[in-house]
Amino acid sequence: MSLKSEFKFQLPEWLQIRQLDLPDGLVTDSQQMELAIELSRLNIEHGGGPFGAIIVDRDSDKVVAAGVNLVTTHNLSCAHAEMVAISMAQQNLDCFSLREHGNYQLVTSCEPCAMCFGAIPWSGVTRVICGATKADAEAIGFDEGPKPDAWIAALETRGIDVVTEIERTQAQAVLNKYSKMAGLVY
């Protein structure tokens, strides 16, 4: 085994093409969630995991980054959709905290796992919108980790608003489709 000196991830080609047409003016939580869910659905159709996320500028309603789950396609356990979207937004805006540049929200097709929950306060987002729940992901076998029961309150005490179960039925449908496709559960 040779030791590597770097690691990187790249958005899948289909998402690189799709992000060229990401719509502006996604004003409502539902509109934004529908895009995150669409990305999760497209990701499973292209061999990835069943999660999608976007970062939206809350002042302009413009999508500044998109992410999908790259865990199995890149052999990176930390490449969850939320982590990819946050990383891409920070690269696009050339910053390590999104608060440096404005008012951004994370829109994710499923509520964050323990790892993504931990990353949210340092990302600089001011709001998180979730689709499916931890229970929905765990129902098909995903291990969401030891996240505190009061995770929403924990984020809110840090000035991060949280809204859950937006378009939950649509988000659950993607998880269920992935399970029926016998997608790898990790």
Side-chain angles (χ1 to χ4, degrees):
M1 169 180 76
S2 66
L3 298 178
K4 306 226 181 222
S5 61
E6 69 177 10
F7 82 93
K8 63 181 178 177
F9 64 82
Q10 181 172 336
L11 295 178
E13 186 175 332
W14 68 265
L15 182 51
Q16 292 177 43
I17 293 166
R18 176 67 179 94
Q19 73 180 359
L20 296 174
D21 311 321
L22 291 176
D24 288 334
L26 297 175
V27 176
T28 69
D29 293 351
S30 289
Q31 290 171 325
Q32 294 172 13
M33 182 58 67
E34 287 169 5
L35 176 57
I37 294 168
E38 175 192 346
L39 297 178
S40 69
R41 185 175 29 260
L42 289 169
N43 201 45
I44 65 173
E45 291 172 8
H46 288 90
F51 305 99
I54 58 175
I55 301 288
V56 178
D57 181 327
R58 293 180 69 189
D59 296 324
S60 69
D61 298 316
K62 182 177 178 170
V63 176
V64 298
V68 292
N69 187 283
L70 303 174
V71 170
T72 60
T73 57
H74 285 63
N75 292 319
L76 290 172
S77 62
C78 62
H80 289 197
E82 298 94 329
M83 303 295 280
V84 172
I86 290 166
S87 297
M88 295 306 300
Q90 291 170 337
Q91 291 297 297
N92 290 340
L93 296 169
D94 196 28
C95 65
F96 63 85
S97 175
L98 297 174
R99 283 190 195 212
E100 293 176 24
H101 288 280
N103 192 10
Y104 296 93
Q105 63 190 18
L106 168 65
V107 182
T108 176
S109 65
C110 188
E111 74 179 51
C113 69
M115 175 181 64
C116 296
F117 162 74
I120 288 170
W122 291 282
S123 71
V125 298
T126 58
R127 189 168 189 243
V128 178
I129 303 171
C130 310
T133 66
K134 173 183 177 181
D136 298 332
E138 289 176 340
I140 67 164
F142 280 95
D143 178 0
E144 297 297 281
K147 187 170 69 178
D149 291 336
W151 69 276
I152 293 172
L155 292 178
E156 289 176 342
T157 62
R158 291 173 154 256
I160 302 167
D161 295 326
V162 179
V163 181
T164 61
E165 299 187 38
I166 300 298
E167 304 298 334
R168 180 181 179 192
T169 302
Q170 288 181 34
Q172 281 177 304
V174 175
L175 294 172
N176 292 335
K177 181 178 179 180
Y178 185 75
S179 180
K180 287 180 184 156
M181 293 169 57
L184 183 61
V185 175
Y186 40 89

